């Protein structure tokens, strides 16, 4: 049973526009969320995170929004750049129960020049 | 900048062979993890360690084994490789404290023929 879901396998946006990647989760005990970016044949790199006590965290072009009542988070990238083209994984920390990161299946973002 | 290394980066090997995937980190992190990831799928935790001489199986059943004799080294061994083991193997580490971020190595792409 998938606890972290990324329902859009892929997303295509134009350079300079906003990219919005979505993630839903089922476990209300998750207390920390992270976004990772992954290029082919490389390991994931950490992008941005948010604690469950916050609803927004911003770092340069990247902003993560958390809606706990909806069990939904989103990553906004603005403006999008061709170098942002990669697979983006949402991950949730289940520290209370298992002390492990639970990953979604990823969304492939393609930023068209 | 995370310093976590994996070798080999790519490996093609025949069925029945014994292989060891190497993972080393120079950050002094006590927690280390092995994940398995296939295209379009989430990262599955197969092994983790919270310190020297501590190893645990992850959520995904795996025929591999791990050891943690030194803090910086966390090798993964397959005694008898099978085509079903074909996948990308990602090693990660995490330091002490409140940071939930895991640092990933570049991965090993394993193909068993």
């Amino acid at each position: 049973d998938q606890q972290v879901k990324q329902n859009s396998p892929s997303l295509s946006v134009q350079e300079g526009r906003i990219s919005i990647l979505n993630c839903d989760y089922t476990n209300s005990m998750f207390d920390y969320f992270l976004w990772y970016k992954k290029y082919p044949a490389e390991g994931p790199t950490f992008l941005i995170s948010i604690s469950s006590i916050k609803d927004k965290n911003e770092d340069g072009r990247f902003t993560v929004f958390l809606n706990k009542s909806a069990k939904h988070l989103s990553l906004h990238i603005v403006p999008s750049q061709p170098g942002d083209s990669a697979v983006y994984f949402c991950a949730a920390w289940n520290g209370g129960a298992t002390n492990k990161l639970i990953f979604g299946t990823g969304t492939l973002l393609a930023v068209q020049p | 900048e995370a310093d976590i290394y994996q070798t080999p980066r790519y490996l093609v090997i025949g069925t029945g062979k014994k292989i060891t995937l190497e993972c080393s980190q120079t950050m002094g992190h006590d927690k280390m993890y092995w994940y398995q990831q296939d295209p379009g799928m989430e990262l599955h935790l197969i092994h983790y360690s919270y310190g020297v001489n501590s190893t645990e199986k992850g959520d995904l059943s795996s025929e591999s084994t791990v050891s943690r004799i030194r803090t910086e080294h966390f090798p993964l061994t397959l005694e008898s490789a099978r085509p079903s083991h074909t996948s990308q193997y990602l090693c990660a580490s995490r330091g002490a404290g409140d940071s939930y971020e895991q640092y990933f190595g570049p991965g090993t792409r394993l193909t068993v023929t």
Side-chain angles (χ1 to χ4, degrees), chain A residues 2 4 31-34 36 38-47 87 89 93 95 98-106, chain B residues 9-10 31 33 35 37 40-43 45 48 50 57-59 88 90 94 98-107 109:
Chain A
Q2 190 116 29
V4 177
D31 54 6
Y32 205 81
F33 303 89
L34 303 90
Y36 281 86
K38 185 180 184 298
Y39 293 116
E42 292 185 16
T45 54
F46 171 72
L47 204 54
V87 176
F89 288 96
W93 183 252
T98 62
N99 223 10
K100 299 172 189 172
L101 270 181
I102 310 296
F103 284 85
T105 53
Chain B
R9 292 292 312 278
Y10 302 91
K31 300 173 182 64
Y33 308 83
Y35 292 88
Q37 198 245 337
M41 302 294 289
E42 65 266 47
L43 280 71
L45 181 67
Y48 60 100
Y50 285 165
K57 286 190 179 293
D59 300 321
Q88 185 180 37
L90 295 160
R94 182 167 76 93
D98 294 333
S99 171
Y100 300 103
E101 178 186 342
Q102 293 182 11
Y103 296 92
F104 282 85
R109 169 66 63 185

Side-chain angles (χ1 to χ4, degrees), chain B residues 36-84:
Chain B
Q36 187 174 337
Q37 198 245 337
D38 295 309
M41 302 294 289
E42 65 266 47
L43 280 71
H44 287 288
L45 181 67
I46 51 175
H47 296 283
Y48 60 100
S49 166
Y50 285 165
V52 171
N53 294 326
S54 153
T55 61
E56 300 287 344
K57 286 190 179 293
D59 300 321
L60 182 68
S61 174
S62 173
E63 293 163 341
S64 58
T65 59
V66 291
S67 63
R68 189 87 183 275
I69 298 172
R70 303 197 316 266
T71 298
E72 62 271 22
H73 195 213
F74 192 39
L76 181 145
T77 298
L78 275 167
E79 290 292 333
S80 179
R82 293 211 292 262
S84 61

Side-chain angles (χ1 to χ4, degrees), chain A residues 39-101:
Chain A
Y39 293 116
E42 292 185 16
T45 54
F46 171 72
L47 204 54
I48 192 169
S49 62
I50 188 167
S51 165
S52 61
I53 63 173
K54 295 186 176 181
D55 54 18
K56 176 182 174 182
N57 188 27
E58 191 173 352
D59 184 3
R61 295 186 298 114
F62 303 93
T63 303
V64 56
F65 295 92
L66 175 62
N67 182 335
K68 281 195 299 182
S69 61
K71 295 192 181 69
H72 177 84
L73 65 157
S74 60
L75 174 68
H76 293 212
I77 306 173
V78 56
S80 301
Q81 300 172 354
D84 296 330
S85 298
V87 176
Y88 289 79
F89 288 96
C90 170
W93 183 252
N94 196 1
T98 62
N99 223 10
K100 299 172 189 172
L101 270 181

